[in-house]
Amino acid sequence: LVLDEAEGGANLSRALGVAAGVDLLQLLDGRSTLADVVQLVPGLVGRVPVAAAALALPLLDDARRACLVEALRILHRHAGVVLVHASAAQAAEPSPFVLAAPRRLVIAEASASGATDAYQTIKGLAAAGAGSVHVAVCRARGRVDAAAFFRSLDTLVRQHVGVPLAWLGELERDDIAAGLTAPLQ
C-alpha cells in the first residue's frame, strides 16, 4: 500500500497511471468512504492520497484524528508493507506519517545530483529525529557501481550527519520490500 503525501507533480499518480484521487482527509466530511479513497493499482493493494491528511492531522480534534487513525489501521491490515511516499523537499519537515514509520527508505539515483538529493533528504530526516535510514540505489550501471555509490554516500553521511545508513540493494534488481521487513542489522 502506498500512502502518497507528495503534492502536485511530485506525487505518484501519473507514474502509477491513476487520477489525483480523493485525499484520506475527505473521509471526515462523510461524503467519501475508504473504498473511494483507495486507488487500485496492479501489483499493489493500492495508492491512497494523504497530502491534505498529513498537513491536517496535528490540527485535528481527538475524534477526527481517531477517525483517520482507524482508517489507517484498516488499510494496514490488508497490506504486508505500507510505503509513505514523500518528496525530497518534504524531508526537512516530515509529516506524522513519515515520523510514525518504523523505517525510512531513501531511493538514491547513482549520479552526482542523486547523491546531493539523497544527502539533503537524509540530512533533513536526521534533523527531524530519524534514526537509521535505509538506502536503495537506482540507475546504477551494475552491482559494483551501486555498492560503490552507497559506500561513498554512507561515508559522507556518517562524517557530516552522523546517521547510519542501511544498504537495501538496487531498486531494479533486489527485493526492497523483503529488505525492509527483515530485522535491523
Side-chain angles (χ1 to χ4, degrees), residues 4-185:
D4 193 358
E5 69 175 41
E7 298 179 39
N11 74 38
L12 295 174
S13 61
R14 193 171 338 140
L16 296 174
V18 295
V22 177
D23 195 279
L24 183 66
L25 186 65
Q26 293 181 14
L27 290 177
L28 299 180
D29 67 11
R31 289 181 285 159
S32 298
T33 65
L34 208 46
D36 298 328
V37 174
V38 178
Q39 296 178 296
L40 299 178
V41 178
L44 300 174
V45 170
R47 171 187 175 261
V48 177
V50 296
L55 290 172
L57 192 62
L59 307 173
L60 296 175
D61 60 40
D62 290 342
R64 287 182 175 88
R65 188 177 309 112
C67 178
L68 285 185
V69 169
E70 178 62 16
L72 289 168
R73 189 186 65 71
I74 292 167
L75 290 170
H76 285 209
R77 269 197 338 232
H78 299 286
V81 173
V82 177
L83 173 71
V84 179
H85 173 255
S87 69
Q90 294 170 299
E93 295 180 30
S95 76
F97 298 129
V98 172
L99 292 174
R103 301 186 186 185
R104 286 147 194 94
L105 167 66
V106 172
I107 299 173
E109 180 183 354
S111 67
S113 63
T116 301
D117 290 345
Y119 175 79
Q120 292 299 330
T121 300
I122 294 164
K123 186 176 174 183
L125 289 169
S132 67
V133 175
H134 287 75
V135 175
V137 176
C138 69
R139 297 188 178 166
R141 287 179 279 184
R143 177 77 64 196
V144 172
D145 287 343
F149 177 85
F150 172 78
R151 282 192 305 275
S152 175
L153 181 63
D154 186 43
T155 300
L156 178 69
V157 169
R158 283 182 191 271
Q159 288 176 350
H160 297 283
V161 182
V163 172
L165 300 182
W167 163 256
L168 282 183
E170 294 179 83
L171 190 63
E172 299 90 350
R173 295 177 184 88
D174 296 316
D175 186 351
I176 303 304
L180 285 171
T181 59
L184 288 172
Q185 299 297 321

